[in-house]
Amino acid sequence: MRFLLLSLLVFFGYTTQASPPLRRSLRSASAVKETLAPGHPSEFDNLNISVATYTYPTGIDSIIFNVPPNNTAAAELPATQIRGRFYFPFKHQPGTHPIPLVILFPGRHGSCREQIDVPGLGRIPSNIGAFDDEGGCAGNQSAVESHRGFDYLGYALASYGYATISIEPLIINGLDPTEDDPALNKARARLLFRTIDKALEWNRDPRKSIETLGFDIAGRIDFSNIGLMGHSRGGAAVRLAYNLLESSFAKLTGEVYNWKERLGVTIKGVVEIAPYEAPENGVSVNVTGVPWALIGAGCEDDLIEFAYINLIQRQSTQNLEPNHFINVYGANHNYFNSEWPLSLETCLGDQTPTWDISAPRFPYALGDITVQVPFVTESPSQRAVAQWVMTTFMRSYVGRQANRQLAKAFDPARPLPKDFANGTEIGRANLNLARSKILQSMESLVPISVSPPARAIETVSEHTQSAFKIFRQQYNTSTLPLILQPGALTTLAVPLKLARSMNYDAIAIHLSSADSEIRIPLSPSNYTNAPRYATANCAINIDVARRDNCLLSSRILNRNTCSKTRILIAQVIAGDSYSPKVPLKSRFNLEFVPSSLAEASLNSSRPDVSFLPIAWETISLPCPRQRRSLEEVRINISSDDYGLPTSSNDIPSSVLYLGPVRVFNEL
């Protein structure tokens, strides 16, 4: 997180020095074995769940770097280690059907932890240290056990009958990148495969199982039913692992081993939490052929360019299996992992942090600057959402007893329990373009009518260009937002450049009134020809988002200066069918972010930005009961007591984004 936070600071006018690279681990081999049971969450106290930490010797494993063991280059490779935590539900009796397996993969984080004294507040853990050349931590520092940060998921999944492995990628996290694997995500994927190798041994041989875990699980895991979850860089790892099991992609990356033949396993579903997203070998990597879900962090303080929203767009158009997007408003990047303390409040719009916002702040050194950090180390509410998504997803799609009806909990039309995750707000999107009949694509300026007339209606591509002109002017002349500390007027040495815009099939409507009616013409024949359009499972879906572009004339940590919170209410009407009334909040009050975080942190003279990807929510309503053609969809926008905000130079700043209108049938 440290590297990307520095990038964010540079973008908003701070200057830092590049952080030193993490050094290679050359730790000598050693074998450690232990069986652990204490320390699990209290809600699972009465369940018969056994837990073991497995630790294989540290040493050179050429397979992880795609090098054959007999290759002379193998001797020059850095050491790695297969290590992690295993959770097993012993309510599952021998002789019954084997149980499914879920594998959890943490992201890249500081390798070593030290306790720092905060005057007047006490001691708090800081995960900023790096391994030494022997793969250990210096002085009084201790290793950060990122795999333990998913204990809450391991116990929860085991309570539902899933064997669960949480992988520790600590040594890989500290290695230098390679030309073939610049983010080391392929190495992480192969570490996942090597872990499956070991689990297959446990399942074949009771002696191996008892020797490594302390108990016998032989014959009790179903490797034809595996679910994967990855957080941050771990998200990229599980996405790659799924694809490396397919021969076509494995040939593209030049894999030495045929992993499908070697392992003989089947992945049934993939979940990614705030994942790292970048092309591999020049190819954008997706998950197709199995159900997929992504949990987003609304107040992302690491992957601030939100590149994983582009992954969501690709999944929707390319994967014919269910895709789910759950955006946790107020969540940050770190607190999904309970071992990753300290974070920043970088909410860029109308979001309430999932942690204690009244907590005192303290000065914390990052490179050459000092930032104000909340005296908070976790967010139980944020983890509660992740636990709900994970257990619901796996029970829906992974295992002999999987029931896809359970996944209806992800449907935006389904109300959440009133006490859901202590009141945490989430956005839900049906990512089903590939499985839908498009009624209105929004790929060009269609004859949409807005009453009263909108100030402007543009495609997203057109809006990006026009909004960037305003953004560039404000960036160069305004007081920049207070991300962390009191900022100063910043003038760029060179003009701000738009490196990348978005080519979404979507429309941007600049509303002129908080009480508006929008009429969207449809293709009637597409509706009447849609398969089983009148069945109970038929739904009309439309993706929506709203942004009030006022951030550059405000200070982020002062919520009232960006304008009073304004909730617009949207209701979609299709024939005789009405959607629930949906609150539309401006979750992001900024539309442009650094296009390359690495460039932003290392070279502030190249201030390139990209359009912030749109985090959609889906409004869903039942298909009309009548069987005649559907010629239009109406969207009624209303607000109780106030109008729309404007930016500091009186430019209208409230934009409503509308994605494709489609008919969808979950057959």
Side-chain angles (χ1 to χ4, degrees), residues 513-535:
S513 170
D515 295 287
S516 300
E517 182 184 62
I518 303 169
R519 291 178 176 264
I520 305 171
L522 306 179
S523 171
S525 61
N526 280 0
Y527 178 71
T528 55
N529 293 332
R532 300 191 189 181
Y533 71 91
T535 68

Side-chain angles (χ1 to χ4, degrees), residues 332-373:
N332 64 22
H333 190 82
N334 277 8
Y335 291 163
F336 289 111
N337 188 308
S338 64
E339 289 294 305
W340 291 11
L342 299 185
S343 196
L344 301 174
E345 183 184 343
T346 52
C347 295
L348 302 179
D350 189 2
Q351 300 185 53
T352 301
T354 61
W355 60 95
D356 181 10
I357 61 175
S358 65
R361 267 90 175 147
F362 66 95
Y364 184 74
L366 276 179
D368 293 338
I369 63 173
T370 299
V371 300
Q372 293 292 323
V373 175

Side-chain angles (χ1 to χ4, degrees), residues 135-163:
C137 294
N140 58 356
Q141 295 181 347
S142 59
V144 177
E145 296 187 307
S146 291
H147 68 295
R148 292 294 305 272
F150 293 142
D151 271 354
Y152 71 102
L153 294 178
Y155 282 101
L157 289 163
S159 74
Y160 282 107
Y162 291 85

Side-chain angles (χ1 to χ4, degrees), residues 43-44 47-49 87-92 97-102 152-164 384 386-396 398-403 406:
E43 61 263 38
F44 304 117
L47 299 178
N48 189 9
I49 298 172
Y87 313 78
F88 193 83
F90 267 96
K91 63 182 180 182
H92 174 72
H97 287 301
I99 62 175
L101 174 66
V102 176
Y152 71 102
L153 294 178
Y155 282 101
L157 289 163
S159 74
Y160 282 107
Y162 291 85
T164 305
Q387 181 174 310
W388 170 73
V389 173
M390 280 293 295
T391 54
T392 302
F393 181 92
M394 297 302 169
R395 293 166 63 211
S396 299
V398 179
R400 295 171 184 262
Q401 305 301 318
N403 179 2
L406 296 175

Side-chain angles (χ1 to χ4, degrees), residues 164-176:
T164 305
I165 293 174
S166 185
I167 293 175
E168 176 54 81
L170 195 61
I171 293 182
I172 286 182
N173 283 347
L175 297 180
D176 295 334

Side-chain angles (χ1 to χ4, degrees), residues 603-626:
N603 188 356
S604 59
S605 66
R606 294 190 58 190
D608 297 350
V609 299
S610 295
F611 184 72
L612 180 66
I614 300 171
W616 296 107
E617 293 187 36
T618 301
I619 298 179
S620 181
L621 64 157
C623 290
R625 290 189 296 271
Q626 75 268 21

Side-chain angles (χ1 to χ4, degrees), residues 402-423:
N403 179 2
R404 291 197 170 205
Q405 293 299 309
L406 296 175
K408 289 185 176 180
F410 300 138
D411 189 331
R414 292 290 181 100
L416 294 169
K418 290 184 178 180
D419 59 348
F420 178 76
N422 298 319

